[in-house]
Amino acid sequence: MKRLLPLRPSAMVLHHSSSSRSGVAWVLQLLCLWTLSFRAHGGGPRKLYIAYLGHVKHGHPDDVVASHHDLLTTLLGSKEGSSASMVYNYKHGFSGFAAMLTADQAKQLAEFPEVISVQPSKRHTPTTTRSWDFLGLNHQMMGSDMLHGSNSGGEDVIIGVIDTGIWPESRSFSDSGYGPVPSRWKGKCQVGHDWGSKNCSRKIVGARFYSAGVPDQFLETDSLSPRDHNGHGTHCASTAAGSAVEAASFHGLAKGVARGGAPRARIAVYKSFWGLGFGNTATVLAAIDDAIHDGVDVLSMSFGVDENSFGVLHAVQKGITVVYAGGNEGPRPQTVRNGAPWAITVAASKIDRSFPTMIMLGNKQEIVGQSLYYRGKNSSMSSSGFKGLVVPVSCDMDILNGTDVKGKILFCTMQPSDQDVFQQAAQYVQDGRGSGVIFAQYTTDLSFTALDVCQGIACVLVDLDIGKKIASYMDDASSPMAKIEPARTVTGKEMLAPKVAMFSSRGPSPDYPAIIKPDIAAPGVNILAAKENSYAILSGTSMAAPHVAGVVALLKALHPNWSSAAIKSAIITTAHITDEHDMSILAEGLPRKIADPFDYGGGNINPHGAADPGLVYDIDPQDYDKYFRCTIVKRASVHCNTTGMLPAYHLNLPSISVPNLRSPVTMSRTVTNVGGVDSVYHVEIQSPVGVRMEVDPPVLVFDAKNKVHTFQVKLSPVWKLQGDYTFGSLTWGNDQKVVRIPVAARITIQDFYADVA
Ligand SMILES: *[C@@H]1O[C@H](CO)[C@@H](O)[C@H](O)[C@H]1NC(C)=O
Ligand SMILES: *[C@@H]1O[C@H](CO)[C@@H](O)[C@H](O)[C@H]1NC(C)=O
Ligand SMILES: *[C@@H]1O[C@H](CO)[C@@H](O)[C@H](O)[C@H]1NC(C)=O
Ligand SMILES: *[C@@H]1O[C@H](CO)[C@@H](O)[C@H](O)[C@H]1NC(C)=O
Ligand SMILES: *[C@@H]1O[C@H](CO)[C@@H](O)[C@H](O)[C@H]1NC(C)=O
């Protein structure tokens, strides 16, 4: 860690390398200094702050860095102070820096005219065989359909993965048969501990790591290199772009061909997370800045970071499509993270695969739960007989502690999404040399966090009904016993699937309430993908996001000049809202219900549909600027027009959400024909309950001259009461295409924008 020099506010000098600054700026600068010399004494602890300066204004990155140092020197009063507190310079995709500052210094820095915002760096944590067949992307069909035909699995596309690094020896990252690295690639292979230049290849085309500003305790358990000792990054990278590997499995479970969504795409690794998963705004922004410089096409980000949304915005404006995990805080509403309108935010759905596990009770009654239990060589269940069942009053640690579980099976009832109890109880059984844990809970969704602590012991989930059966058996039996068999793998269409997973975070976005988030659901439950040299099953929106990143890579290969907005539109408007049997897709929750747009955005991803969507809702990426600058940064800047805020529902998104419908509002949307040249589309309206929706014109006629049409959408409240959100849709269709966008509206009697936006 860098040592900080003491501040010497009295010794401040003005130092400018750039002579282009106007007289006005000089005056402001001096005023800032004046106040600074009084305030800088208010020391306090230094913390990592991010200063954001907007677009890169100086030509060469070195000049950008020099301008940052000038600014910090002005603030801190000495060049030494500036160098000592600077942690990262962002200089390629956007201008800004991360520096160690006191709260007062951060406040003063924010007053500088060239500084748009100063925010503390926040801590972030990172939150597939079968899944691709389920989505209709069968690897044996490579070359025989539109998505895989002409573009050979996205070989020219580079997917950047910002995560915990990668394990280059995994078979999923073999580069055999790959052509040369695309010549436009400008990234590098940063060597380090456990990582040589040969670890990059035609598959892993670049790898960097960001350890500055990361506390030593997280670095100590890791390699100072792009190598992944956590497993999360390797899992995500192989889900997005792993090469096909035959007969991959997790101890025999989920056996099949493991492969990424775009199995021929190239991977660029940006390690911003350390140890068990420590990362922060500063390390993530450094990765985004380099990814823009290096030339990635897609960024896959499986962690939560709304504060970084300006970095992501710059990436999108440079043509990169950014895919984010929506978070694992469901099923409560307003838990979705990463809600920025320019990114694709992904919910997690279940696929048609489960791992039924037979439990036989002492009275020979057979019941079925779900687990990933396998009988390893050293497992305490390897003697396959009956074990004693223990049921404590509660499995909370303070009550459980002291219970003898040696050689026994613990039985717990837990609240939905009570991950801590689950985790701690499993660990307790592991430590106490117990045989297993049976958890009774509302759903049998396997939890993404539980698996690590279940190695060698049997962790079985049962629903509450089955939990009651076990409890009543235990009441009757004098010495209750149970025997747990290893899990089996079952796949097939007779299962209810897809379903939005219990843990998947739900909208509306707390940060962007006027935008429907998440955007799309993708497989994120029990996903098999690479971990070191073998394969592991993980669940979470972290696993869902790289599925979408893989699909984006295929779409980019197929349609190289589509904007990120066009790609996102294609994914949303073609998503499935029903399953194979025409049944509505459900969302796990309390209670389980038919999924709505705040569960899954447009629906469950449909890669083949997205390849040929008919119409797209496109957005010029520069359009986000006025909206972003004015509403998020809340600072009158040249990008804001005098009228002020532009309500988000005017943005040409492939969705409509009006969180404060009090009187009729009219917005416009523009669609671009990317399908057959001569096409006619008719509108089909499904108004949200309590709202009247009108679309004008109701018919759009496209031909060689008219590829783009704008239409008006008017939403009028029918009810006069404040209500909850209701949902509908707006669909343009003909006998070949269905272009559907979700609509959400909430009738209010308050002035929402004055209070919230
Ligand atoms: C990666 O680099 C390390 C250290 O140089 C080396 O031991 C290892 O074999 C390399 N792995 C691959 C796949 O090249
Ligand atoms: C697993 O079993 C082998 C042989 O039975 C033993 O040598 C080894 O220490 C065991 N490992 C663990 C983690 O218990
Ligand atoms: C359990 O109890 C022991 C002894 O009283 C104590 O040392 C330990 O910290 C407790 N563990 C937990 C997780 O509370
Ligand atoms: C892509 O580029 C081609 C050729 O320049 C052009 O005809 C087409 O309209 C473009 N498509 C989009 C969606 O911009
Ligand atoms: C300013 O914003 C308003 C919406 O708030 C918009 O109607 C108007 O066209 C904008 N003016 C300019 C010059 O961009």
Side-chain angles (χ1 to χ4, degrees), residues 626 641 643-647:
K626 29 189 168 170
N641 81 33
T643 324
M645 288 185 242
L646 192 64

PDB file of all heavy atoms in Angstrom, residues 626 641 643-647, ligand 5:
ATOM      1  N   LYS A 626     -27.772  13.861 -22.014  1.00  0.00           N
ATOM      2  CA  LYS A 626     -28.585  14.910 -21.382  1.00  0.00           C
ATOM      3  C   LYS A 626     -29.392  14.317 -20.242  1.00  0.00           C
ATOM      4  O   LYS A 626     -29.497  14.882 -19.160  1.00  0.00           O
ATOM      5  CB  LYS A 626     -29.508  15.578 -22.399  1.00  0.00           C
ATOM      6  CG  LYS A 626     -29.920  14.691 -23.533  1.00  0.00           C
ATOM      7  CD  LYS A 626     -30.656  15.461 -24.610  1.00  0.00           C
ATOM      8  CE  LYS A 626     -30.772  14.584 -25.850  1.00  0.00           C
ATOM      9  NZ  LYS A 626     -31.638  15.108 -26.862  1.00  0.00           N
ATOM     10  N   ASN A 641     -30.405  20.973 -21.078  1.00  0.00           N
ATOM     11  CA  ASN A 641     -31.060  22.150 -21.645  1.00  0.00           C
ATOM     12  C   ASN A 641     -31.851  22.852 -20.552  1.00  0.00           C
ATOM     13  O   ASN A 641     -32.102  22.302 -19.488  1.00  0.00           O
ATOM     14  CB  ASN A 641     -31.846  21.799 -22.908  1.00  0.00           C
ATOM     15  CG  ASN A 641     -33.205  21.204 -22.633  1.00  0.00           C
ATOM     16  OD1 ASN A 641     -33.850  21.547 -21.658  1.00  0.00           O
ATOM     17  ND2 ASN A 641     -33.629  20.321 -23.505  1.00  0.00           N
ATOM     18  N   THR A 643     -34.819  23.581 -20.116  1.00  0.00           N
ATOM     19  CA  THR A 643     -36.076  22.984 -19.692  1.00  0.00           C
ATOM     20  C   THR A 643     -35.830  21.994 -18.556  1.00  0.00           C
ATOM     21  O   THR A 643     -36.733  21.637 -17.836  1.00  0.00           O
ATOM     22  CB  THR A 643     -36.758  22.253 -20.858  1.00  0.00           C
ATOM     23  OG1 THR A 643     -36.512  22.997 -22.036  1.00  0.00           O
ATOM     24  CG2 THR A 643     -38.231  22.114 -20.628  1.00  0.00           C
ATOM     25  N   GLY A 644     -34.580  21.565 -18.453  1.00  0.00           N
ATOM     26  CA  GLY A 644     -34.244  20.677 -17.350  1.00  0.00           C
ATOM     27  C   GLY A 644     -34.450  19.230 -17.698  1.00  0.00           C
ATOM     28  O   GLY A 644     -34.025  18.773 -18.740  1.00  0.00           O
ATOM     29  N   MET A 645     -35.125  18.558 -16.808  1.00  0.00           N
ATOM     30  CA  MET A 645     -35.148  17.105 -16.908  1.00  0.00           C
ATOM     31  C   MET A 645     -36.010  16.576 -18.026  1.00  0.00           C
ATOM     32  O   MET A 645     -37.097  17.069 -18.294  1.00  0.00           O
ATOM     33  CB  MET A 645     -35.653  16.535 -15.598  1.00  0.00           C
ATOM     34  CG  MET A 645     -34.654  16.678 -14.509  1.00  0.00           C
ATOM     35  SD  MET A 645     -35.304  15.859 -13.084  1.00  0.00           S
ATOM     36  CE  MET A 645     -35.418  17.198 -11.972  1.00  0.00           C
ATOM     37  N   LEU A 646     -35.504  15.517 -18.591  1.00  0.00           N
ATOM     38  CA  LEU A 646     -36.218  14.832 -19.651  1.00  0.00           C
ATOM     39  C   LEU A 646     -36.765  13.553 -19.004  1.00  0.00           C
ATOM     40  O   LEU A 646     -36.001  12.697 -18.606  1.00  0.00           O
ATOM     41  CB  LEU A 646     -35.196  14.482 -20.727  1.00  0.00           C
ATOM     42  CG  LEU A 646     -35.635  14.001 -22.076  1.00  0.00           C
ATOM     43  CD1 LEU A 646     -36.420  15.074 -22.788  1.00  0.00           C
ATOM     44  CD2 LEU A 646     -34.417  13.625 -22.882  1.00  0.00           C
ATOM     45  N   PRO A 647     -38.086  13.445 -18.836  1.00  0.00           N
ATOM     46  CA  PRO A 647     -38.575  12.229 -18.181  1.00  0.00           C
ATOM     47  C   PRO A 647     -38.096  10.987 -18.920  1.00  0.00           C
ATOM     48  O   PRO A 647     -38.071  10.955 -20.144  1.00  0.00           O
ATOM     49  CB  PRO A 647     -40.096  12.371 -18.268  1.00  0.00           C
ATOM     50  CG  PRO A 647     -40.348  13.818 -18.466  1.00  0.00           C
ATOM     51  CD  PRO A 647     -39.156  14.347 -19.221  1.00  0.00           C
TER      52      PRO A 647
HETATM   53  C1  LIG B   5     -35.190  20.373 -23.702  1.00  0.00           C
HETATM   54  O1  LIG B   5     -35.888  19.354 -23.001  1.00  0.00           O
HETATM   55  C2  LIG B   5     -37.266  19.282 -23.306  1.00  0.00           C
HETATM   56  C3  LIG B   5     -37.893  18.195 -22.478  1.00  0.00           C
HETATM   57  O2  LIG B   5     -37.675  18.405 -21.148  1.00  0.00           O
HETATM   58  C4  LIG B   5     -37.456  19.003 -24.777  1.00  0.00           C
HETATM   59  O3  LIG B   5     -38.825  19.000 -25.082  1.00  0.00           O
HETATM   60  C5  LIG B   5     -36.760  20.051 -25.622  1.00  0.00           C
HETATM   61  O4  LIG B   5     -36.821  19.678 -26.954  1.00  0.00           O
HETATM   62  C6  LIG B   5     -35.296  20.172 -25.196  1.00  0.00           C
HETATM   63  N1  LIG B   5     -34.662  21.257 -25.917  1.00  0.00           N
HETATM   64  C7  LIG B   5     -33.500  21.126 -26.565  1.00  0.00           C
HETATM   65  C8  LIG B   5     -32.963  22.359 -27.214  1.00  0.00           C
HETATM   66  O5  LIG B   5     -32.910  20.062 -26.610  1.00  0.00           O
END
